[in-house]
Amino acid sequence: MNNKHILHITAVTEVGPDGQKCTQAELEYDRPLAADTAADAFEVENRTITGIEVSGNTVILLLSPDDEAASLFHPGNPWQHTSTVLDEAVVTVRQCGLVRAADGSVMDTAGTSADEDLNANAKAASGVEPSAIGGSRKAAAPVCTAADQNDRVCNLVVDDFIQGEFEGLSYNLYIPKDCEPGKTYPLVQFIHDAGPCGKEPKLTLTQGVGAIVWAKPEEQARRKCFVLAPQFDGPPIVDDDWNVDPRLETAKRLLDWVCEQYPVDRSRLYTTGQSMGCMSSIVLNVRYPDLFAASYLVAGQWDDRQIQGLEKQNLWMLNSMGDAKAFPIMNQMACEMESKGALVARKVIDAGATQEEYDEIAKELIATGANVIYTPYKIETVANGWSSRGGEHHMNTWKTAYDIEAIREWLFSKEKI
């Protein structure tokens, strides 16, 4: 490090609805810092510092998620043969202002305190200790040195997953902490949409919150579970002509294998996914009607002539009324399932409503006893305009869909008998 007082710099990332972003720079100093250390004593290249937290030897610089340089996940388009890119988090930090240690001494960036530097210079010039010729000297301003780059990266929640490969299929697996011997736990499978198809295993974890929401500490405290998120490379595994790639069966065998290797409660398996992942979950429910206790189907659809057995499943379906494909076809699916005996509860809801409002909606719908719940978003609450034949409504659906705690609670309330 150019600043000799800094031992390590960690770039901290978080995953939100818009993908993974670098949101903090954590500086570890060689001594405790004054609690009133100011944010304007630091600069981070191409980033906006929005706040500072100081605790002992550690300084955390809060960085704006709206900065262009914040985004690490850059989606591709498999139909245009462009790949999704996931950047490594980098922060370049410079101490550019006065920073004091907790004992009050000034820490300049050359590696010694400013007081020590002045005393050393005075002694070299006169051969006499400064205290002998006039007492203590006033500390000089710190010297601005070259910036330092992070030597560590912390990816919140994402780093809690392990990566593996099964029959050529990459996957991410979250194993709940402190599992009790002899006890089994639910498992949530998340299948990503077509956009993040690629070789990097963590793309599905960093595209949005669909995979990681189940593994967040606060979520695990309420609903401890395994989380399985396969990562598909190459072309999409399903398409709008109802074709299914054999890799979906590889994913099914992966799920079976995980259930064999870990203490998974097979009566409480859940699947969810958006777009391609929603369609894949539908196909798995049709092919294996006794596999999942419940499914959360987000912004997808399937041929209503090929959904036999879904009328007996526990399904929560959500899309946007502005989604040119998912909305009309999910409507038809609901009607088809209803005609075959499913009890369907419907309600148009707002995207971005409060959790309290969602709780009331969920109570109302669940009270009907319906096994299929269908809640399309009001078109004006999802996206403005219609610039891509409803594509913006399609993709914006899952930016809020997984934040609805009431739906997550509904999912975990279901169990195969």
PDB file of all heavy atoms in Angstrom, residues 62-81:
ATOM      1  N   LEU A  62     -19.143   4.488   2.358  1.00  0.00           N
ATOM      2  CA  LEU A  62     -20.367   4.092   1.663  1.00  0.00           C
ATOM      3  C   LEU A  62     -20.380   4.753   0.290  1.00  0.00           C
ATOM      4  O   LEU A  62     -20.192   5.967   0.171  1.00  0.00           O
ATOM      5  CB  LEU A  62     -21.585   4.505   2.476  1.00  0.00           C
ATOM      6  CG  LEU A  62     -21.601   4.036   3.935  1.00  0.00           C
ATOM      7  CD1 LEU A  62     -22.866   4.535   4.634  1.00  0.00           C
ATOM      8  CD2 LEU A  62     -21.496   2.528   4.019  1.00  0.00           C
ATOM      9  N   LEU A  63     -20.601   3.955  -0.755  1.00  0.00           N
ATOM     10  CA  LEU A  63     -20.522   4.437  -2.134  1.00  0.00           C
ATOM     11  C   LEU A  63     -21.892   4.402  -2.792  1.00  0.00           C
ATOM     12  O   LEU A  63     -22.680   3.476  -2.584  1.00  0.00           O
ATOM     13  CB  LEU A  63     -19.540   3.564  -2.928  1.00  0.00           C
ATOM     14  CG  LEU A  63     -18.145   3.390  -2.300  1.00  0.00           C
ATOM     15  CD1 LEU A  63     -17.307   2.433  -3.132  1.00  0.00           C
ATOM     16  CD2 LEU A  63     -17.445   4.738  -2.147  1.00  0.00           C
ATOM     17  N   SER A  64     -22.163   5.394  -3.617  1.00  0.00           N
ATOM     18  CA  SER A  64     -23.473   5.489  -4.253  1.00  0.00           C
ATOM     19  C   SER A  64     -23.694   4.348  -5.241  1.00  0.00           C
ATOM     20  O   SER A  64     -22.874   4.134  -6.147  1.00  0.00           O
ATOM     21  CB  SER A  64     -23.599   6.824  -5.002  1.00  0.00           C
ATOM     22  OG  SER A  64     -24.794   6.843  -5.770  1.00  0.00           O
ATOM     23  N   PRO A  65     -24.795   3.608  -5.111  1.00  0.00           N
ATOM     24  CA  PRO A  65     -25.115   2.554  -6.080  1.00  0.00           C
ATOM     25  C   PRO A  65     -25.525   3.107  -7.434  1.00  0.00           C
ATOM     26  O   PRO A  65     -25.615   2.356  -8.411  1.00  0.00           O
ATOM     27  CB  PRO A  65     -26.263   1.801  -5.410  1.00  0.00           C
ATOM     28  CG  PRO A  65     -26.903   2.818  -4.531  1.00  0.00           C
ATOM     29  CD  PRO A  65     -25.796   3.696  -4.034  1.00  0.00           C
ATOM     30  N   ASP A  66     -25.752   4.424  -7.506  1.00  0.00           N
ATOM     31  CA  ASP A  66     -26.161   5.048  -8.764  1.00  0.00           C
ATOM     32  C   ASP A  66     -24.975   5.434  -9.643  1.00  0.00           C
ATOM     33  O   ASP A  66     -25.172   5.833 -10.800  1.00  0.00           O
ATOM     34  CB  ASP A  66     -27.017   6.281  -8.487  1.00  0.00           C
ATOM     35  CG  ASP A  66     -28.302   5.941  -7.760  1.00  0.00           C
ATOM     36  OD1 ASP A  66     -28.853   4.856  -8.026  1.00  0.00           O
ATOM     37  OD2 ASP A  66     -28.750   6.745  -6.925  1.00  0.00           O
ATOM     38  N   ASP A  67     -23.761   5.333  -9.110  1.00  0.00           N
ATOM     39  CA  ASP A  67     -22.583   5.620  -9.932  1.00  0.00           C
ATOM     40  C   ASP A  67     -22.507   4.651 -11.098  1.00  0.00           C
ATOM     41  O   ASP A  67     -22.802   3.458 -10.956  1.00  0.00           O
ATOM     42  CB  ASP A  67     -21.301   5.478  -9.099  1.00  0.00           C
ATOM     43  CG  ASP A  67     -21.157   6.552  -8.043  1.00  0.00           C
ATOM     44  OD1 ASP A  67     -21.795   7.608  -8.189  1.00  0.00           O
ATOM     45  OD2 ASP A  67     -20.389   6.324  -7.084  1.00  0.00           O
ATOM     46  N   GLU A  68     -22.096   5.153 -12.243  1.00  0.00           N
ATOM     47  CA  GLU A  68     -21.943   4.273 -13.406  1.00  0.00           C
ATOM     48  C   GLU A  68     -20.953   3.157 -13.119  1.00  0.00           C
ATOM     49  O   GLU A  68     -21.126   2.016 -13.560  1.00  0.00           O
ATOM     50  CB  GLU A  68     -21.487   5.087 -14.621  1.00  0.00           C
ATOM     51  CG  GLU A  68     -21.390   4.280 -15.905  1.00  0.00           C
ATOM     52  CD  GLU A  68     -21.021   5.126 -17.104  1.00  0.00           C
ATOM     53  OE1 GLU A  68     -20.999   6.371 -16.974  1.00  0.00           O
ATOM     54  OE2 GLU A  68     -20.750   4.540 -18.173  1.00  0.00           O
ATOM     55  N   ALA A  69     -19.904   3.478 -12.366  1.00  0.00           N
ATOM     56  CA  ALA A  69     -18.870   2.490 -12.074  1.00  0.00           C
ATOM     57  C   ALA A  69     -19.277   1.490 -11.006  1.00  0.00           C
ATOM     58  O   ALA A  69     -18.534   0.555 -10.707  1.00  0.00           O
ATOM     59  CB  ALA A  69     -17.584   3.206 -11.641  1.00  0.00           C
ATOM     60  N   ALA A  70     -20.473   1.671 -10.425  1.00  0.00           N
ATOM     61  CA  ALA A  70     -20.904   0.766  -9.354  1.00  0.00           C
ATOM     62  C   ALA A  70     -21.280  -0.609  -9.887  1.00  0.00           C
ATOM     63  O   ALA A  70     -21.043  -1.635  -9.243  1.00  0.00           O
ATOM     64  CB  ALA A  70     -22.085   1.371  -8.601  1.00  0.00           C
ATOM     65  N   SER A  71     -21.868  -0.657 -11.080  1.00  0.00           N
ATOM     66  CA  SER A  71     -22.417  -1.910 -11.616  1.00  0.00           C
ATOM     67  C   SER A  71     -21.321  -2.872 -12.042  1.00  0.00           C
ATOM     68  O   SER A  71     -20.392  -2.506 -12.765  1.00  0.00           O
ATOM     69  CB  SER A  71     -23.338  -1.620 -12.802  1.00  0.00           C
ATOM     70  OG  SER A  71     -24.474  -0.889 -12.392  1.00  0.00           O
ATOM     71  N   LEU A  72     -21.469  -4.124 -11.612  1.00  0.00           N
ATOM     72  CA  LEU A  72     -20.540  -5.188 -11.985  1.00  0.00           C
ATOM     73  C   LEU A  72     -21.180  -6.186 -12.938  1.00  0.00           C
ATOM     74  O   LEU A  72     -20.481  -6.860 -13.689  1.00  0.00           O
ATOM     75  CB  LEU A  72     -20.056  -5.915 -10.725  1.00  0.00           C
ATOM     76  CG  LEU A  72     -19.414  -5.016  -9.658  1.00  0.00           C
ATOM     77  CD1 LEU A  72     -19.132  -5.817  -8.400  1.00  0.00           C
ATOM     78  CD2 LEU A  72     -18.150  -4.376 -10.191  1.00  0.00           C
ATOM     79  N   PHE A  73     -22.519  -6.291 -12.902  1.00  0.00           N
ATOM     80  CA  PHE A  73     -23.244  -7.231 -13.758  1.00  0.00           C
ATOM     81  C   PHE A  73     -23.729  -6.505 -15.007  1.00  0.00           C
ATOM     82  O   PHE A  73     -24.470  -5.525 -14.910  1.00  0.00           O
ATOM     83  CB  PHE A  73     -24.439  -7.817 -12.998  1.00  0.00           C
ATOM     84  CG  PHE A  73     -25.234  -8.811 -13.800  1.00  0.00           C
ATOM     85  CD1 PHE A  73     -24.872 -10.147 -13.838  1.00  0.00           C
ATOM     86  CD2 PHE A  73     -26.356  -8.411 -14.521  1.00  0.00           C
ATOM     87  CE1 PHE A  73     -25.606 -11.059 -14.582  1.00  0.00           C
ATOM     88  CE2 PHE A  73     -27.091  -9.313 -15.263  1.00  0.00           C
ATOM     89  CZ  PHE A  73     -26.709 -10.637 -15.297  1.00  0.00           C
ATOM     90  N   HIS A  74     -23.293  -6.979 -16.174  1.00  0.00           N
ATOM     91  CA  HIS A  74     -23.658  -6.343 -17.441  1.00  0.00           C
ATOM     92  C   HIS A  74     -24.327  -7.402 -18.319  1.00  0.00           C
ATOM     93  O   HIS A  74     -23.650  -8.270 -18.883  1.00  0.00           O
ATOM     94  CB  HIS A  74     -22.420  -5.774 -18.129  1.00  0.00           C
ATOM     95  CG  HIS A  74     -21.609  -4.874 -17.234  1.00  0.00           C
ATOM     96  ND1 HIS A  74     -22.006  -3.603 -16.907  1.00  0.00           N
ATOM     97  CD2 HIS A  74     -20.434  -5.098 -16.584  1.00  0.00           C
ATOM     98  CE1 HIS A  74     -21.112  -3.060 -16.101  1.00  0.00           C
ATOM     99  NE2 HIS A  74     -20.150  -3.934 -15.876  1.00  0.00           N
ATOM    100  N   PRO A  75     -25.666  -7.384 -18.408  1.00  0.00           N
ATOM    101  CA  PRO A  75     -26.391  -8.449 -19.103  1.00  0.00           C
ATOM    102  C   PRO A  75     -26.129  -8.485 -20.596  1.00  0.00           C
ATOM    103  O   PRO A  75     -25.939  -7.445 -21.239  1.00  0.00           O
ATOM    104  CB  PRO A  75     -27.854  -8.125 -18.804  1.00  0.00           C
ATOM    105  CG  PRO A  75     -27.871  -6.656 -18.529  1.00  0.00           C
ATOM    106  CD  PRO A  75     -26.566  -6.346 -17.872  1.00  0.00           C
ATOM    107  N   GLY A  76     -26.115  -9.689 -21.113  1.00  0.00           N
ATOM    108  CA  GLY A  76     -25.985  -9.888 -22.552  1.00  0.00           C
ATOM    109  C   GLY A  76     -27.331 -10.239 -23.152  1.00  0.00           C
ATOM    110  O   GLY A  76     -28.382 -10.112 -22.515  1.00  0.00           O
ATOM    111  N   ASN A  77     -27.310 -10.697 -24.383  1.00  0.00           N
ATOM    112  CA  ASN A  77     -28.529 -11.098 -25.084  1.00  0.00           C
ATOM    113  C   ASN A  77     -28.219 -12.352 -25.899  1.00  0.00           C
ATOM    114  O   ASN A  77     -27.518 -12.279 -26.911  1.00  0.00           O
ATOM    115  CB  ASN A  77     -29.018  -9.979 -26.002  1.00  0.00           C
ATOM    116  CG  ASN A  77     -30.376 -10.282 -26.603  1.00  0.00           C
ATOM    117  OD1 ASN A  77     -30.666 -11.417 -26.966  1.00  0.00           O
ATOM    118  ND2 ASN A  77     -31.218  -9.261 -26.711  1.00  0.00           N
ATOM    119  N   PRO A  78     -28.693 -13.524 -25.434  1.00  0.00           N
ATOM    120  CA  PRO A  78     -28.348 -14.763 -26.133  1.00  0.00           C
ATOM    121  C   PRO A  78     -28.844 -14.818 -27.574  1.00  0.00           C
ATOM    122  O   PRO A  78     -28.255 -15.484 -28.410  1.00  0.00           O
ATOM    123  CB  PRO A  78     -29.007 -15.847 -25.262  1.00  0.00           C
ATOM    124  CG  PRO A  78     -30.078 -15.139 -24.506  1.00  0.00           C
ATOM    125  CD  PRO A  78     -29.573 -13.750 -24.283  1.00  0.00           C
ATOM    126  N   TRP A  79     -29.946 -14.084 -27.857  1.00  0.00           N
ATOM    127  CA  TRP A  79     -30.468 -14.095 -29.223  1.00  0.00           C
ATOM    128  C   TRP A  79     -29.629 -13.230 -30.158  1.00  0.00           C
ATOM    129  O   TRP A  79     -29.645 -13.410 -31.360  1.00  0.00           O
ATOM    130  CB  TRP A  79     -31.918 -13.621 -29.221  1.00  0.00           C
ATOM    131  CG  TRP A  79     -32.795 -14.581 -28.480  1.00  0.00           C
ATOM    132  CD1 TRP A  79     -33.330 -15.745 -28.956  1.00  0.00           C
ATOM    133  CD2 TRP A  79     -33.208 -14.490 -27.127  1.00  0.00           C
ATOM    134  NE1 TRP A  79     -34.061 -16.381 -27.981  1.00  0.00           N
ATOM    135  CE2 TRP A  79     -34.009 -15.632 -26.844  1.00  0.00           C
ATOM    136  CE3 TRP A  79     -32.990 -13.564 -26.116  1.00  0.00           C
ATOM    137  CZ2 TRP A  79     -34.586 -15.865 -25.600  1.00  0.00           C
ATOM    138  CZ3 TRP A  79     -33.569 -13.788 -24.870  1.00  0.00           C
ATOM    139  CH2 TRP A  79     -34.347 -14.921 -24.623  1.00  0.00           C
ATOM    140  N   GLN A  80     -28.878 -12.288 -29.582  1.00  0.00           N
ATOM    141  CA  GLN A  80     -27.965 -11.467 -30.368  1.00  0.00           C
ATOM    142  C   GLN A  80     -26.518 -11.911 -30.209  1.00  0.00           C
ATOM    143  O   GLN A  80     -25.597 -11.251 -30.660  1.00  0.00           O
ATOM    144  CB  GLN A  80     -28.105  -9.999 -29.945  1.00  0.00           C
ATOM    145  CG  GLN A  80     -29.484  -9.419 -30.222  1.00  0.00           C
ATOM    146  CD  GLN A  80     -29.636  -7.989 -29.707  1.00  0.00           C
ATOM    147  OE1 GLN A  80     -28.711  -7.414 -29.134  1.00  0.00           O
ATOM    148  NE2 GLN A  80     -30.804  -7.398 -29.936  1.00  0.00           N
ATOM    149  N   HIS A  81     -26.354 -13.062 -29.552  1.00  0.00           N
ATOM    150  CA  HIS A  81     -25.032 -13.684 -29.369  1.00  0.00           C
ATOM    151  C   HIS A  81     -24.062 -12.770 -28.631  1.00  0.00           C
ATOM    152  O   HIS A  81     -22.865 -12.752 -28.908  1.00  0.00           O
ATOM    153  CB  HIS A  81     -24.442 -14.103 -30.728  1.00  0.00           C
ATOM    154  CG  HIS A  81     -25.364 -14.963 -31.539  1.00  0.00           C
ATOM    155  ND1 HIS A  81     -25.678 -16.264 -31.195  1.00  0.00           N
ATOM    156  CD2 HIS A  81     -26.084 -14.690 -32.674  1.00  0.00           C
ATOM    157  CE1 HIS A  81     -26.527 -16.765 -32.078  1.00  0.00           C
ATOM    158  NE2 HIS A  81     -26.782 -15.834 -32.984  1.00  0.00           N
TER     159      HIS A  81
END
